[in-house]
């Protein structure tokens, strides 16, 4: 049979939300899918690829549930291609685990309807992460198709894409975009000529292979006359197929394919729109927060939930769906209209709320064995560590110090942070109004605490309240009767006081086992006689210096920091802030030609917030005058300025080899970018940044060649390292090596007012329509960034950045006990432990009655993961949970050999 000249793949690229919110686009989606179903049922030769994201099917069936069997029949027949993703995501703005959950959810949904398209379809992502080939390969997918980000050296329509671990997929390169066949049909009466012309035009790419003709674009329905044109005289040389039918004709292991290794972020053949990394920073923070809270809740429930295994699944499924929905490449990116951004933020908040609710539910159950005058502390990482926890505790004696012990009577270090107000209410009332006071009491609760006792005297009513009362009960009826009689005897004025038990806010250093739990009690009794665990001290010297055994920090006159590590590495000028103009849009930063950079504060104030010994905190307040906006000439900043105070909390904790920075300000200005700089001791030629199961090295430049200036700004997820400076991050953050490699700049805020601008200084064509997006200016909103600086020579490896980043991001969990006060503390316990050089966990969760652990070797060298816990059998699985091989478990311990950068998934039972 003669090969066709062009294999057409009718499809639509469905941006689920973008310049319109989700529900508006869904209204249009229903019409498109109705049309596709009718065409396919009427013509067995018709094929349609539904954009590689199963959410489009779910969104449709939510409105047309009666059509489920019709959709399933078309999927089973191969006429409708669905999945494998739930959402076409932005790969850099979520965690690697979220990418896996995206694929998992999409594959499950598509399989239930007849089967997922076995192609990693990635048509419009703004670049691609280094480990995507491994993610696809470990899910059993051998083929991918993509457009943006591929390097300029490619000259064929197929290439072998390798991940850092060596895993690979064959990529069908959409070098001419995902709508390359649209022009062929521009003049139907000249279709035959257009087919022949396009075949010859692309022959250097395809050779003797048929041309892949992607026939569709954003939110498009198939041409009504498509099949008639294909069958007509002008359609000779055309065939219609699903995407998988085309790409699976090629061998994934073809040795003649050119090889590309690692991430794809070249601008050479398509705009990658890197400004989406830094726009609407609140969405990036919300994504990281939701991922973190839901992941912690899953791990906690898997190991400590008293509920039936899997009972929480529906909650976690809903939470992950909300997170994954928001990863869409026009959602968390922030490059849509304000209405879309608001909905994305709401969904991410909802996901975090679900995680927090489940987490609280499990902790409440765990707390039933802990006395109410103690607290339970839970480790959120699977290796031992000592954590600092803030507790609010009773301390009725104002002169006596507090002490803390864990189970077994081990004394641990304490730092007092503050004391509570004791007078909660003091008022004068007429006797006839005393009933109002009684109506404030709910059971035993008054002003958020519990009534300990009360006193009624002529003209006076006194309440003593406590968080945990020592008296067995309280009788409201008896109080009402006694007060009524007293009011009748004293009908004049009354004084009502509510006095709380004195409480203190304290910081306690608590040692924890891997994924472990321990109870701690803070009292004013004599110090424990058992073992004592001293903590490294942190001291503040002369009001401008913080120092521990690991790090010394001094605040300079301009408010920047000199940070010295234990190996003598010194970073000077850390935290310099620079505000520069931005005349760009949500897709691309655009510097004004006559930019004005503001980096010098007009005043600096330094005060001590906490003096140690467990935690020392300096408050540095810098005042700046920033240009209020761009001027009428977009290439200049306004001469008018607005004042702003930037507060930086500089924090050292005992035992931590880094300094924490908490930077915040209320943004008063428009059209600008604010970056925090970490100057390097000597110039470097590359950086290394964490993200999506890998650490990627990048140089000082980025490859250009298309219609976009190749700014060397890049994303970092948990940390970025350059020379002797490693910065731990709270969320995905844009960074750049500036000054020929002498400065690491991190973007805290990029504020612009347009979704896309028609004329951009660094981009040749619009990225979308020129819609105003005032919400992206962040005027009047608080901007806050949490990060930490590790001064250590040798880069991220010697700095132990992967593990430190996990500890920086994952705080311990605490809950007050609910068992009767005064009882013995329950014994401490450990959960799942995962260790080994360079090994970090991505997920611990309950799955099908077992515990699933996913981990990755964050190392360029082979390593061994050591897994321990209460399990007796283990199985290695692929990323979709399908069993691969049994593993040997000895005494609750398991060693797993991992290759460089390898992702491994285990089932423990």
């Amino acid at each position: 049979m003669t090969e066709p000249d062009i294999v057409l793949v009718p499809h639509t690229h469905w941006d689920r939300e973008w310049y319109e919110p989700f529900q508006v686009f869904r209204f249009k989606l229903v019409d498109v899918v109705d049309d596709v179903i009718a065409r396919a049922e009427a013509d067995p030769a018709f094929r349609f690829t539904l954009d590689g994201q199963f959410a489009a099917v779910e969104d449709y069936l939510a409105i047309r549930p009666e059509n489920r069997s019709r959709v399933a029949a078309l999927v089973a027949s191969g006429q409708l291609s669905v999945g494998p993703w739930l959402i076409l995501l932005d790969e850099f703005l979520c965690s690697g685990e979220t990418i896996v959950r995206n694929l998992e959810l999409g594959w499950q949904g598509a399989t239930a309807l007849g089967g997922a398209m076995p192609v990693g379809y990635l048509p419009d992502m703004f670049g691609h992460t280094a480990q995507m080939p491994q993610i696809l390969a470990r899910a059993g997918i051998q083929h991918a198709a993509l457009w943006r980000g591929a390097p300029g050296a490619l000259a064929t329509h197929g290439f072998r894409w390798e991940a850092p671990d060596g895993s690979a997929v064959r990529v069908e390169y959409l070098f001419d975009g995902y709508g390359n066949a649209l022009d062929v049909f521009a003049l139907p009466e000249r279709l035959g000529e257009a087919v022949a012309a396009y075949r010859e035009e692309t022959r250097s790419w395809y050779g003797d292979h048929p041309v892949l003709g992607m026939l569709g674009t954003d939110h498009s329905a198939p041409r009504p006359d498509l099949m008639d044109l294909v069958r007509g005289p002008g359609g000779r040389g055309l065939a219609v197929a699903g995407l998988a039918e085309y790409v699976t004709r090629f061998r994934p292991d073809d040795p003649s394919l050119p090889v590309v290794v690692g991430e794809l972020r070249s601008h050479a053949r398509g705009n990658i729109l890197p400004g989406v990394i830094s726009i609407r920073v609140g969405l990036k923070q919300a994504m990281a927060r939701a991922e973190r809270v839901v992941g912690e809740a899953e791990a906690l429930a898997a190991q400590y939930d008293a509920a039936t295994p899997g009972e929480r699944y529906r909650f976690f499924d809903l939470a992950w769906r909300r997170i994954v929905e928001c990863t869409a490449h026009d959602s968390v990116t922030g490059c849509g209209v304000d209405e879309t951004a608001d909905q994305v933020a709401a969904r991410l908040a909802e996901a975090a709320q679900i995680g927090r609710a489940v987490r609280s539910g499990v902790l409440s159950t765990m707390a039933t064995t802990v006395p109410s005058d103690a607290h339970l502390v839970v480790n959120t990482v699977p290796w031992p560590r000592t954590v600092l926890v803030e507790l609010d505790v009773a301390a009725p004696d104002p002169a006596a110090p507090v002490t803390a012990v864990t189970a077994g009577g081990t004394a641990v270090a304490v730092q007092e942070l503050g004391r509570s107000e004791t007078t909660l209410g003091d008022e004068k009332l007429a006797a006839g109004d005393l009933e109002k006071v009684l109506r404030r009491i709910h059971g035993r609760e008054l002003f958020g605490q519990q009534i300990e006792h009360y006193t009624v005297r002529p003209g006076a009513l006194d309440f003593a309240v406590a968080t945990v009362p020592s008296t067995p009960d309280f009788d409201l009826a008896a109080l009402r009767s006694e007060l009524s009689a007293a009011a009748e005897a004293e009908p004049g004025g009354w004084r009502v006081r509510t006095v709380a038990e004195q409480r203190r806010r304290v910081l306690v250093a608590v040692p924890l086992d891997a994924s472990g739990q321990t109870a701690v009690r803070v009292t004013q009794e004599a110090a424990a006689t058992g073992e004592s665990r001293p903590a490294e001290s942190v001291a503040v010297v002369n009001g401008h210096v913080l120092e521990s055994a690991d790090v010394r920090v001094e605040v300079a006159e301009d408010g920047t920091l000199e940070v010295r590590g234990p190996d003598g590495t010194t970073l000077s000028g850390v935290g310099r802030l620079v505000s520069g103009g931005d005349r760009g849009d949500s897709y691309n930063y655009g510097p004004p030609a006559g930019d004005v950079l503001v980096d010098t504060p007009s005043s600096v104030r330094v005060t001590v917030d906490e003096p140690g010994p467990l935690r020392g905190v300096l408050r540095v307040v810098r005042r700046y005058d920033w240009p209020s906006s761009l001027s009428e000439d977009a290439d200049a900043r306004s001469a008018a300025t607005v004042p702003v105070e930037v507060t930086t909390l500089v924090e050292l904790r005992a035992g931590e080899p880094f300094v924490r920075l908490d930077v915040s300000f209320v943004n008063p200005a428009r059209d600008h970018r604010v970056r925090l700089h970490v100057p390097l001791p000597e110039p470097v030629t590359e950086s290394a940044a964490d993200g999506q199961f890998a650490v990627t090295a990048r140089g000082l430049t980025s490859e250009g060649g298309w219609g976009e200036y190749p700014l060397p700004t890049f994303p970092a997820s948990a940390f970025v390292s350059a020379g002797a400076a490693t910065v731990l991050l709270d969320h995905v953050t844009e960074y750049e090596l500036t000054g020929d490699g002498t400065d690491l700049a991190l973007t805290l805020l990029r504020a612009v007012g347009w979704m896309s601008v028609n004329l951009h200084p660094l981009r040749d064509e619009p990225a979308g329509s020129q819609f105003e997006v005032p919400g992206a200016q962040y005027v009047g909103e608080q901007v806050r960034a949490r990060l930490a600086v590790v001064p250590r020579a040798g880069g991220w490896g010697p700095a132990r950045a992967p593990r430190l980043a996990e500890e920086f991001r994952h705080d311990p969990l605490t809950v007050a006990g609910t068992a009767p006060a005064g009882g013995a503390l329950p014994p401490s316990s450990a959960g799942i432990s995962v260790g080994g050089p360079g090994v970090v966990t991505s997920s611990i969760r309950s799955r099908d009655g077992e515990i699933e652990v996913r981990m990755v070797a964050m190392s360029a060298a082979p390593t061994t993961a050591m897994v321990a816990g209460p399990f007796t059998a283990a199985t290695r699985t692929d990323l979709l949970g399908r069993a691969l091989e049994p593993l040997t478990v000895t005494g609750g311990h398991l060693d797993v050999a991992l290759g460089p950068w390898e992702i491994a998934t285990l089932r423990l039972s």
Side-chain angles (χ1 to χ4, degrees), residues 265-493:
R265 286 193 65 84
S266 169
H267 306 253
R269 297 189 182 278
N271 295 342
I272 64 168
L273 311 170
V276 299
I277 302 296
S278 53
I279 199 68
R280 297 193 195 265
V281 64
L283 295 183
K284 282 63 174 177
Q285 293 170 322
M287 172 62 70
R289 183 165 51 248
E291 290 174 325
R292 185 161 55 245
V293 172
V294 174
E296 288 176 355
E298 273 192 329
L300 187 71
Q303 298 174 84
Y304 294 112
D305 197 354
T308 303
E311 185 175 312
R312 311 287 189 187
Y313 173 79
R314 291 185 182 274
F315 288 103
F316 290 130
D317 180 71
L318 179 58
W320 278 111
R321 283 178 180 274
R322 292 292 181 268
I323 291 171
V324 169
E325 285 172 345
C326 293
T327 65
H329 61 285
D330 293 306
S331 298
V332 69
T333 47
C335 56
V337 294
D338 288 349
E339 199 171 7
T340 293
D342 291 343
Q343 291 185 338
V344 173
R347 286 200 300 269
L348 288 171
E350 186 179 340
Q353 290 157 9
I354 294 170
R356 191 173 75 238
V358 174
R359 192 176 67 184
S360 296
V362 178
L363 286 172
S364 295
T365 301
M366 297 169 69
T368 58
T369 63
V370 178
S372 58
D373 59 342
H375 288 78
L376 183 69
V377 184
V378 180
N379 193 2
T380 50
V381 298
W383 56 79
R385 61 170 173 164
T386 295
V387 300
L388 298 184
V389 295
E390 287 191 26
L391 303 177
D392 181 67
V393 298
D397 184 347
V402 292
T403 59
V405 295
T406 59
T410 301
V412 292
V414 181
Q415 173 183 332
E416 182 174 326
L417 300 177
R419 302 189 180 194
S420 66
E421 291 288 333
T422 55
T423 302
L424 304 184
D426 189 347
E427 58 189 324
K428 293 181 179 180
L429 297 173
D433 290 332
L434 290 175
E435 179 62 27
K436 296 178 182 179
V437 175
L438 300 185
R439 289 202 297 267
R440 297 171 184 165
I441 302 171
H442 305 282
R444 192 173 185 168
E445 182 270 328
L446 176 62
F447 294 158
Q449 297 197 42
Q450 304 292 306
I451 295 175
E452 177 82 25
H453 59 79
Y454 65 86
T455 303
V456 178
R457 294 176 286 109
L461 171 60
D462 294 321
F463 290 104
V465 297
T467 302
V468 180
S470 59
T471 53
D473 50 42
F474 164 72
D475 190 339
L476 180 60
L479 170 60
R480 177 174 274 110
S481 176
E482 184 178 352
L483 190 60
S484 176
E488 187 174 343
E490 184 65 47

Side-chain angles (χ1 to χ4, degrees), residues 737-800:
L737 281 176
T738 64
D740 295 326
T742 61
D743 228 337
L744 177 62
L746 300 108
T747 305
L748 305 187
L749 171 71
R750 199 168 69 81
V752 298
W754 300 96
M755 188 183 89
S756 173
V757 292
N758 294 335
L759 298 176
H760 193 290
L762 301 184
R763 193 183 63 231
D764 290 347
E765 60 187 17
S769 298
Q770 187 164 301
F771 291 124
E772 280 196 85
V773 287
Q777 293 279 19
Y778 273 47
V779 174
E781 295 192 33
Q782 185 180 58
V783 177
R784 183 183 178 193
R786 293 177 57 248
L787 51 95
V789 179
V790 187
R792 178 64 186 262
W796 64 273
R800 300 185 300 119

Side-chain angles (χ1 to χ4, degrees), residues 662-831:
D662 187 327
V663 185
S664 62
F665 58 91
V666 176
N667 179 45
R670 302 161 57 91
D671 314 317
H672 71 136
R673 180 179 67 175
V674 180
R675 300 207 287 189
L676 181 145
H677 287 249
V678 180
L680 307 176
E682 55 187 35
V684 298
T685 58
E686 70 173 26
S687 61
D690 162 88
Q692 301 77 38
F693 303 132
V695 178
T696 301
R698 301 171 176 129
L700 300 180
T701 61
S702 185
E703 184 182 33
W706 185 249
E708 178 180 64
Y709 183 81
L711 278 176
T713 53
F714 301 105
S717 292
F719 65 83
V720 57
S721 185
T726 295
V727 181
L728 312 180
L729 302 168
D730 176 72
H731 60 278
V732 176
T733 300
E734 175 189 87
Y735 77 91
E736 180 181 4
L737 281 176
T738 64
D740 295 326
T742 61
D743 228 337
L744 177 62
L746 300 108
T747 305
L748 305 187
L749 171 71
R750 199 168 69 81
V752 298
W754 300 96
M755 188 183 89
S756 173
V757 292
N758 294 335
L759 298 176
H760 193 290
L762 301 184
R763 193 183 63 231
D764 290 347
E765 60 187 17
S769 298
Q770 187 164 301
F771 291 124
E772 280 196 85
V773 287
Q777 293 279 19
Y778 273 47
V779 174
E781 295 192 33
Q782 185 180 58
V783 177
R784 183 183 178 193
R786 293 177 57 248
L787 51 95
V789 179
V790 187
R792 178 64 186 262
W796 64 273
R800 300 185 300 119
R803 179 164 287 202
L804 291 183
E806 289 294 290
E807 295 184 3
F808 173 69
R809 282 187 162 200
H810 292 278
D811 293 327
L813 305 175
T814 62
V815 62
T818 55
L825 299 180
S828 301
S829 66

Side-chain angles (χ1 to χ4, degrees), residues 96-357:
E97 183 62 30
T98 297
I99 296 177
V100 173
R101 301 305 179 93
N102 188 345
L103 188 57
E104 179 183 292
L105 290 170
W107 195 269
Q108 288 174 350
T111 299
L113 268 185
M117 179 175 67
V119 180
Y121 188 47
L122 307 163
D124 198 28
M125 286 71 168
F126 306 154
H128 305 278
T129 60
Q131 289 280 42
M132 183 57 77
Q134 184 178 178
I135 292 171
L136 295 174
R138 290 187 184 273
I141 298 174
Q142 298 178 300
H143 296 269
L146 56 84
W147 167 33
R148 302 183 195 266
L154 288 173
T156 64
H157 72 104
F159 66 91
R160 176 183 171 87
W161 185 18
E162 291 187 358
D165 78 314
S167 299
V169 293
R170 181 194 177 274
V171 172
E172 182 62 34
Y173 180 29
L174 309 177
F175 63 90
D176 212 6
Y178 55 78
N180 64 309
L182 290 173
D183 288 347
V184 173
F185 284 82
L187 299 173
E189 66 278 8
R190 302 179 63 179
L191 178 60
E193 298 173 39
V195 169
Y198 193 64
R199 179 70 184 89
E200 289 308 308
E201 180 184 331
T202 57
R203 187 169 295 279
S204 66
W205 286 89
Y206 287 96
D208 294 332
H209 298 155
V211 172
L212 173 61
M214 299 297 292
L215 191 60
T217 189
D218 301 357
H219 310 114
S220 65
R223 290 184 63 108
D225 57 354
L226 172 61
M227 299 309 292
D228 291 338
L229 290 170
V230 169
R231 293 184 175 114
R236 285 191 296 272
L238 295 177
V240 174
L243 180 62
E245 292 178 84
Y246 178 85
V247 301
T248 57
R249 66 192 290 144
F250 302 105
R251 287 176 50 196
D253 58 350
D254 182 352
S256 68
L257 291 172
V259 177
V260 178
V261 180
E263 73 173 1
L264 306 179
R265 286 193 65 84
S266 169
H267 306 253
R269 297 189 182 278
N271 295 342
I272 64 168
L273 311 170
V276 299
I277 302 296
S278 53
I279 199 68
R280 297 193 195 265
V281 64
L283 295 183
K284 282 63 174 177
Q285 293 170 322
M287 172 62 70
R289 183 165 51 248
E291 290 174 325
R292 185 161 55 245
V293 172
V294 174
E296 288 176 355
E298 273 192 329
L300 187 71
Q303 298 174 84
Y304 294 112
D305 197 354
T308 303
E311 185 175 312
R312 311 287 189 187
Y313 173 79
R314 291 185 182 274
F315 288 103
F316 290 130
D317 180 71
L318 179 58
W320 278 111
R321 283 178 180 274
R322 292 292 181 268
I323 291 171
V324 169
E325 285 172 345
C326 293
T327 65
H329 61 285
D330 293 306
S331 298
V332 69
T333 47
C335 56
V337 294
D338 288 349
E339 199 171 7
T340 293
D342 291 343
Q343 291 185 338
V344 173
R347 286 200 300 269
L348 288 171
E350 186 179 340
Q353 290 157 9
I354 294 170
R356 191 173 75 238

Side-chain angles (χ1 to χ4, degrees), residues 607-631:
T607 55
V608 178
D609 265 20
E610 296 179 16
L614 297 180
R615 184 172 70 189
V617 181
L618 291 178
R619 180 179 297 265
V620 182
V621 180
R622 290 174 283 180
R623 187 186 187 280
Y624 297 86
D625 294 293
W626 289 342
S628 60
S629 64
L630 293 176
S631 65

